[in-house]
Amino acid sequence: MLRQCALRVLSRTRAAPGCRRYGSCSPSARSDTGEARAYFTTPIFYVNAAPHIGHLYSALLADALCRHRRLRVPGSASTRFSTGTDEHGLKIQQAAASAGLSPVELCDRVSAQFQQLFQEAGISSTDFIRTTEARHRLAVQHFWEVLEARGLLYKGLYEGWYCASDECFLPEAKVTRQLGPSGDPCPVSLESGHPVSWTKEENYIFRLSQFREPLQRWLRSNPQAITPQPFYQTVLQWLEEELPDLSVSRRSSHLHWGIPVPGDDSQTIYVWLDALVNYLTVVGYPDADFKSWWPATSHIIGKDILKFHAIYWPALLLGAGLRPPHRIYVHSHWTVSGQKMSKSLGNVVNPMTCLDRYTVDGFRYFLLRQGVPNWDCDYYDEKVVKLLDSELADALGGLLNRCTAHRINPSGTYPSFCTACFPSEPGLTGPSVRVQAEDYALLSAVATLPKQVADYYDDFQIYKALEAVSSCVRQTNGFVQRHAPWKLTWENPADAPWLGTVLHVALECLRVFGTLLQPVTPNLADKLLSRLGVSATERGLRELHFLPRFYGHPCPFEGRKLGPDTGLLFPRLDQSRTWVVKAHRT
């Protein structure tokens, strides 16, 4: 990932969804009307170690946002999604030497691990960028030349503590002393605990101090630019402090594994500036077409690189004559059984093991259901098992099994809805009416669910979107339990209309759930919708009209044959033994 650098300059040169009248539950495209195109990005991940679940979580958040956008705005041409690897820097240079490899060999090896993980996890990115690519070198050097032409770069002497492990300079306030192997106090990074050394060299410096007020104006005029709100406030607080100029190069004799400064081979462009420009590289910068995608950009990042994306990157963009990104979505980290993931502790969870053990959709669901962007979340095996058994295997899978079981639904069809049994106006009575007040509450909840979910996605609260879906699944199970269709018979003329209605309502609810779960559990959602007989062209949010017969409109699914039975929607996980997720060590 990107590294932080703090240095001291010493010298200078919507429509109404869920409307009862129309029976539509299509969400209003709140964020879609303002931008014809949308571009989602993850951070590019540093190849100093193999991927862990924190990396996968970043990618899944971006993937879910992108997939939801595609459901709202069909057409792959309007949506792009990039991820990739950050491959330059002193740490890569040193790690490769220690391993007896060239830097490019090390980068190829670890980058391939990220690509394999994302492919296995169903990450639907349209681009995987590597900073060692020729197209990226061209973009970075052009970006540098623009900053230089605008008078925003100068040479100056930088002096400060440098942490080779973290690839960053640190101010005195971020350095402490700890006893080293010899028993003597040694300077270390206050945040990471890694050793630091005093460094002094002449570098190119970016005039960051000129952008404090422009950044404040940008943020105050765009209160949704950084989400969630606490991170937005954090950045505003940072901008109340002094904003010193920043080093943007290193001596090539010290750092040769990187992109040379144009016109000055004695300097190498510093890795974080190199890395940030990847977002422009992907959309074709510096060719003119990139402007059709920029700044319709949503960055999904971890909180540890917030300053880079919310202060340094927007300032660099403004300096190059470009606008800051549209949105910056910030998430917190994952701990393991209450401890920070660390190779030294041996508790770095291997995500490939988790995908194999819990299934791809199961682990995707767990991370997005339990991950809360505002604060750190904890991983342990028992939590995964309990959640997936309860919400996917029992609640959702059990509901589907009940409504499609041959004993209850022997014809294997989408039964008819009887308006006499379930009138559109509550309180009506008659010999055929069997509906209860709680049933109308269910319909209201499911009809408004897509709009509620869309709003949660817009607010970067995917976990709340899944919580809302899970709540409606529980309500639907309550509806089925309340009316016990297994106690009714098709042969009884008094029972048959109501039996068909109960199944019809439950299947309609399942159709909504399956549609809304597509961004999070694409394979499971496909299996569910296929079982209901929903075709590929009927799975978008614009086509999602819940229970049209209740609102006096024909239902295209009524009487349709269900799809083939392919077994359990989601198998219960074995709770008779405790799985031990192997630590991934490099």
Side-chain angles (χ1 to χ4, degrees):
M1 282 197 179
L2 305 172
R3 280 76 51 201
Q4 183 174 352
C5 168
L7 300 167
R8 181 162 57 100
V9 177
L10 297 182
S11 64
R12 172 190 185 277
T13 142
R14 56 205 78 143
C19 173
R20 285 175 53 88
R21 180 179 177 187
Y22 298 108
S24 171
C25 54
S26 302
S28 61
R30 188 172 75 188
S31 65
D32 301 331
T33 55
E35 297 288 351
R37 293 184 171 186
Y39 171 36
F40 298 89
T41 74
T42 72
I44 52 172
F45 304 105
Y46 203 42
V47 293
N48 63 317
H52 55 64
I53 61 172
H55 300 128
L56 179 58
Y57 181 55
S58 291
L60 286 176
L61 287 167
D63 185 60
L65 289 172
C66 183
R67 286 177 182 268
H68 190 264
R69 154 80 185 195
R70 289 167 179 159
L71 290 177
R72 294 163 76 163
V73 183
S76 59
S78 68
T79 306
R80 293 185 73 162
F81 168 23
S82 75
T83 187
T85 44
D86 179 4
E87 302 181 15
H88 287 141
L90 182 61
K91 194 170 182 179
I92 300 301
Q93 187 175 298
Q94 294 173 338
S98 298
L101 300 171
S102 67
V104 71
E105 287 174 329
L106 177 66
C107 292
D108 287 346
R109 175 185 298 178
V110 181
S111 182
Q113 292 175 351
F114 277 95
Q115 293 183 62
Q116 181 185 6
L117 171 63
F118 294 163
Q119 182 178 2
E120 293 287 335
I123 303 301
S124 60
S125 58
T126 56
D127 204 300
F128 190 98
I129 177 72
R130 299 180 61 185
T131 56
T132 48
E133 295 178 37
R135 60 170 175 160
H136 181 64
R137 177 172 175 154
L138 174 67
V140 171
Q141 292 186 322
H142 182 87
F143 191 85
W144 179 280
E145 290 168 344
V146 171
L147 294 177
E148 189 173 43
R150 288 170 164 258
L152 294 171
L153 301 177
Y154 64 93
K155 265 195 172 180
L157 187 65
Y158 261 52
E159 184 174 1
W161 294 105
Y162 182 72
C163 179
S165 296
D166 301 332
E167 290 220 59
C168 67
F169 285 88
L170 298 170
E172 188 69 40
K174 295 293 185 181
V175 175
T176 188
R177 269 71 178 172
Q178 291 181 355
L179 293 179
S182 64
D184 298 325
C186 298
V188 299
S189 167
L190 187 63
E191 294 181 350
S192 69
H194 294 144
V196 300
S197 59
W198 190 258
T199 302
K200 182 178 180 180
E201 64 180 66
E202 187 178 46
N203 302 136
Y204 285 94
I205 300 164
F206 172 65
R207 300 182 189 276
L208 179 65
S209 56
Q210 295 186 5
F211 292 90
R212 182 164 164 252
E213 290 185 6
L215 290 173
Q216 289 174 326
R217 288 195 298 270
W218 164 59
L219 288 175
R220 287 170 179 160
S221 63
N222 296 277
Q224 295 297 312
I226 302 172
T227 304
Q229 184 66 202
F231 295 112
Y232 171 82
Q233 294 298 334
T234 295
V235 176
L236 284 178
Q237 290 172 8
W238 285 339
L239 290 171
E240 292 298 320
E241 304 168 1
E242 181 185 3
L243 196 62
D245 290 349
L246 292 174
S247 170
V248 289
S249 72
R250 298 296 309 278
R251 284 184 292 109
S252 299
S253 59
H254 184 64
L255 172 63
H256 62 80
W257 182 241
I259 299 175
V261 168
D264 187 351
D265 290 341
S266 71
Q267 296 279 318
T268 300
I269 296 174
Y270 200 45
V271 286
W272 54 260
L273 171 57
D274 168 354
L276 286 165
V277 176
N278 93 86
Y279 304 126
L280 294 176
T281 302
V282 168
V283 291
Y285 181 85
D287 293 343
D289 185 58
F290 89 93
K291 293 182 179 179
S292 65
W293 290 98
W294 196 272
T297 307
S298 296
H299 294 319
I300 292 82
I301 64 166
K303 64 181 182 181
D304 56 322
I305 53 175
L306 175 60
K307 185 169 287 187
F308 276 91
H309 286 79
I311 292 182
Y312 303 154
W313 180 226
L316 288 164
L317 288 165
L318 290 170
L322 302 174
R323 290 165 57 190
H326 173 61
R327 296 285 293 272
I328 301 173
Y329 295 105
V330 189
H331 67 79
S332 296
H333 296 157
W334 281 87
T335 58
V336 178
S337 298
Q339 291 184 302
K340 182 179 179 180
M341 278 188 287
S342 166
K343 286 193 291 183
S344 61
L345 293 175
N347 67 344
V348 180
V349 177
N350 182 353
M352 292 293 284
T353 302
C354 295
L355 293 172
D356 181 62
R357 184 153 293 154
Y358 306 122
T359 76
V360 170
D361 285 76
F363 199 56
R364 285 175 63 106
Y365 185 85
F366 169 77
L367 290 178
L368 293 173
R369 175 76 167 88
Q370 291 292 298
V372 180
N374 295 56
W375 55 78
D376 290 351
C377 302
D378 196 39
Y379 170 92
Y380 55 91
D381 176 75
E382 293 81 4
K383 182 190 287 188
V384 185
V385 172
K386 183 177 180 181
L387 176 75
L388 299 184
D389 279 353
S390 172
E391 296 192 0
L392 295 188
D394 295 344
L396 187 63
L399 178 62
L400 179 64
N401 289 342
R402 275 180 165 182
C403 299
T404 57
H406 180 75
R407 188 171 66 86
I408 296 177
N409 192 344
S411 65
T413 61
Y414 224 90
S416 298
F417 179 87
C418 177
T419 55
C421 297
F422 205 136
S424 60
E425 295 299 326
L428 294 181
T429 60
S432 301
V433 175
R434 299 201 187 186
V435 66
Q436 299 177 17
E438 298 93 330
D439 304 333
Y440 289 104
L442 168 66
L443 264 59
S444 177
V446 177
T448 57
L449 183 61
K451 172 62 164 61
Q452 186 181 12
V453 165
D455 288 343
Y456 282 138
Y457 270 84
D458 284 339
D459 293 334
F460 199 46
Q461 295 178 317
I462 299 173
Y463 72 102
K464 285 191 175 182
L466 293 175
E467 182 180 346
V469 172
S470 180
S471 175
C472 283
V473 172
R474 289 194 299 272
Q475 279 184 268
T476 309
N477 272 302
F479 167 78
V480 173
Q481 189 69 30
R482 191 161 54 244
H483 296 294
W486 50 87
K487 293 182 180 180
L488 306 175
T489 65
W490 291 102
E491 291 75 19
N492 186 332
D495 285 350
W498 179 237
L499 173 54
T501 299
V502 170
L503 294 181
H504 184 97
V505 170
L507 292 176
E508 277 290 277
C509 292
L510 280 165
R511 183 169 64 86
V512 173
F513 305 151
T515 303
L516 296 178
L517 285 173
Q518 289 176 103
V520 175
T521 57
N523 297 317
L524 179 144
D526 174 68
K527 187 174 182 179
L528 192 161
L529 294 173
S530 295
R531 182 72 174 107
L532 299 180
V534 182
S535 70
T537 60
E538 298 170 316
R539 299 182 181 187
L541 291 176
R542 292 182 176 181
E543 296 76 41
L544 186 57
H545 303 286
F546 172 63
L547 205 61
R549 290 278 281 111
F550 178 76
Y551 303 98
H553 298 282
C555 174
F557 302 98
E558 197 170 54
R560 184 184 296 187
K561 290 288 287 186
L562 297 177
D565 183 0
T566 55
L568 294 175
L569 181 66
F570 190 87
R572 283 184 60 84
L573 299 170
D574 186 3
Q575 298 185 74
S576 63
R577 54 180 173 149
T578 301
W579 293 103
V580 178
V581 178
K582 297 179 181 178
H584 188 80
R585 298 178 177 88
T586 58

